[in-house]
């Protein structure tokens, strides 16, 4: 199985490099961030570290979409929601009917966009409790060691029961396992996705707003209570929409607190990395998406509506205090 990663940021590089280094797989990388592509080419690879240790140069092959001529079996897509449309259009000529695609991006909205280019039966979704930081072009740090990584994966079109497709899913699962990504195959696609959105709606948003690490959030005496409030409202919105999430309110709260306080205490969320580089965040695809589901089914998510606006205020405040990041 040959892979190609679209989006050579922290998560895309982590998946691709781990597949190379631990699973022995052939992986190509596609990116549109010019500084990143040129730096990686200049260095002869990308610098990677694990929890700020063992920094080394991982040789990789990286291309702009317009120059890539490869034909991977599986695409792995890790982009920001706001970037996805534009990058997929640039990559459209590279997609073929026999190929499969996997994505574990934050937020929601990307699978319908991927379905414009791929047969829905060839799409696999995922959610990853796996952290990564981008120090700069060609320089990435992975957070949480092999024992701390965890991810779920699920077929986008659960109605399909085809041996060939099932074999592809199992092969991807085996490769991800060898790459120390600790995957679990689950059913209930939307339940899987919503559970991760709920997770991100607490840690990503609150830690970004206050510019702190996961572990620093958990040091706050009210951290668990705040988590419970946001989780409870999100689960109620999902129930109103007829969605059954993986796990219960209580297990989701426990997962968030354990991830923040034990598994990944040093992690800054990707949303924080966007904020502090003067880029728009994905809050509308996370807390905003939960609020949208609630509104669509007659339930007002007052907390998630408020937190969404708070994060946009944090974006404005950062721009005021750091005019050098103005675009």
């Amino acid at each position: 199985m040959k892979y190609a990663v679209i989006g050579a940021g922290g998560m895309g590089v982590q998946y691709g490099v781990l597949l190379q280094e631990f699973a022995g797989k052939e992986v190509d990388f596609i990116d549109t961030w010019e500084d990143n592509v040129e730096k990686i080419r200049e260095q002869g690879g990308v610098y990677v570290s694990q929890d700020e240790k063992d920094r080394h140069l991982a040789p990789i092959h990286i291309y702009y979409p317009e120059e890539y001529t490869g034909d991977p079996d599986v695409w792995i897509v890790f982009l920001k929601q706001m970037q996805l449309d534009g990058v997929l259009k640039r990559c459209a000529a590279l997609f073929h009917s026999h190929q499969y695609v996997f994505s574990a991006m934050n937020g929601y909205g990307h699978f319908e966009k991927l379905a414009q280019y791929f047969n829905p039966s060839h799409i696999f979704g995922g959610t990853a409790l796996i952290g990564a930081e981008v120090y700069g072009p060609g320089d990435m740090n992975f957070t949480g060691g092999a024992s701390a990584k965890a991810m779920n994966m699920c077929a986008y079109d659960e109605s399909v029961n085809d041996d060939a497709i099932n074999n592809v899913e199992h092969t991807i699962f085996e490769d991800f396992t060898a790459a120390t990504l600790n995957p679990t195959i689950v059913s209930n696609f939307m339940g899987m996705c919503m559970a991760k959105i709920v997770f991100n709606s607490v840690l990503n948003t609150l830690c970004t707003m206050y510019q702190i690490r996961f572990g620093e959030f958990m040091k706050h005496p009210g951290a668990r209570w705040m988590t419970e409030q946001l989780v409870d409202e999100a689960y109620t919105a999902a129930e109103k929409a007829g969605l059954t999430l993986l796990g219960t309110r209580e297990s989701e709260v426990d997962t968030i607190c354990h991830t923040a306080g034990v598994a990944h205490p040093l992690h800054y969320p990707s949303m924080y990395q966007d904020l502090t580089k003067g880029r728009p965040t994905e809050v509308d695809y996370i807390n905003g998406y939960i609020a949208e589901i609630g509104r669509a089914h007659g339930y007002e998510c007052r907390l998630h509506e408020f937190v969404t606006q708070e994060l946009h205020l944090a974006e404005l405040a950062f721009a005021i205090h750091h005019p050098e990041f103005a675009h």
Side-chain angles (χ1 to χ4, degrees):
M1 192 79 81
K2 178 179 177 179
Y3 295 87
V5 176
I6 299 177
M11 289 296 289
V13 164
Q14 179 160 204
Y15 268 68
V17 167
L18 294 181
L19 281 167
Q20 284 187 173
E21 293 188 343
F22 290 94
K25 296 301 172 181
E26 184 178 353
V27 184
D28 291 327
F29 293 80
I30 316 295
D31 203 15
T32 59
W33 179 16
E34 186 174 345
D35 289 348
N36 196 42
V37 174
E38 297 306 321
K39 189 66 174 179
I40 290 171
R41 288 177 170 175
E42 175 190 324
Q43 297 172 163
V46 59
Y47 280 101
V48 300
S49 54
Q50 178 66 60
D51 294 314
E52 303 175 359
K53 299 176 182 177
D54 187 30
R55 185 173 183 264
H56 65 280
L57 185 68
I60 67 172
H61 300 293
I62 192 163
Y63 308 85
Y64 295 107
E66 293 77 13
E67 63 186 15
Y68 185 60
T69 59
D71 183 15
D73 300 296
V74 180
W75 294 95
I76 296 175
V77 180
F78 275 109
L79 296 163
K80 297 296 181 183
Q81 291 283 353
M82 301 79 72
Q83 300 173 310
L84 186 60
D85 273 327
V87 176
L88 288 179
K89 288 175 183 175
R90 289 181 61 176
C91 293
L94 307 176
F95 302 145
H96 305 292
S97 60
H98 64 274
Q99 296 173 336
Y100 292 77
V101 62
F102 168 85
S103 183
M105 290 165 49
N106 285 338
Y108 197 84
H110 47 301
F111 296 111
E112 286 74 10
K113 293 174 182 175
L114 289 170
Q116 296 174 23
Y117 298 89
F118 295 90
N119 186 321
S121 67
H122 284 206
I123 299 173
F124 298 105
T127 57
L129 296 182
I130 297 171
E133 296 172 306
V134 179
Y135 289 155
D139 194 357
M140 317 290 169
N141 178 56
F142 312 150
T143 60
S147 61
K149 293 181 173 68
M151 60 166 288
N152 290 322
M153 56 184 294
C154 183
Y156 175 63
D157 186 348
E158 296 180 81
S159 67
V160 175
N161 186 17
D162 179 276
D163 287 343
I165 294 172
N166 291 339
N167 286 338
V168 169
E169 181 179 36
H170 190 69
T171 301
I172 296 172
F173 168 82
E174 289 181 335
D175 290 346
F176 284 176
T177 299
T180 72
L181 294 165
N182 297 331
T184 300
I185 296 176
V186 301
S187 57
N188 183 7
F189 181 83
M190 278 304 300
M192 174 193 73
C193 293
M194 280 299 298
K196 181 61 189 305
I197 291 169
V198 173
F199 175 96
N200 286 338
S201 76
V202 179
L203 290 182
N204 283 32
T205 306
L206 296 182
C207 290
T208 297
M209 197 180 304
Y210 294 102
Q211 300 182 40
I212 55 176
R213 301 174 190 254
F214 282 4
E216 292 164 338
F217 168 69
M218 283 309 301
K219 290 179 180 178
H220 174 48
R224 188 176 184 91
W225 179 85
M226 295 171 74
T227 300
E228 289 170 345
Q229 306 314 303
L230 287 167
V231 167
D232 186 60
E233 187 178 80
Y235 266 68
T236 299
E239 289 167 357
K240 297 285 186 182
L243 300 174
T244 301
L245 278 66
L246 293 184
T248 64
R249 286 166 162 81
E250 293 75 17
S251 67
E252 183 73 5
V253 170
D254 287 342
T255 296
I256 291 169
C257 293
H258 176 82
T259 300
V262 179
H264 297 276
L266 299 179
H267 182 59
Y268 283 111
S270 60
M271 189 184 288
Y272 161 89
Q273 297 172 56
D274 288 334
L275 176 80
T276 54
K277 289 180 172 62
R279 298 191 296 252
T281 70
E282 294 177 293
V283 68
D284 292 326
Y285 300 90
I286 300 175
N287 300 81
Y289 181 71
I290 293 170
E292 180 183 329
I293 283 182
R295 285 196 306 273
H297 296 86
Y299 177 68
E300 184 180 7
C301 296
R302 295 181 63 86
L303 291 175
H304 286 280
E305 297 272 18
F306 188 83
V307 166
T308 300
Q309 293 306 316
E310 274 196 297
L311 201 286
H312 284 312
L313 179 59
E315 292 174 337
L316 174 62
F318 188 87
I320 291 169
H321 294 301
H322 300 274
E324 68 272 17
F325 285 101
H327 295 292

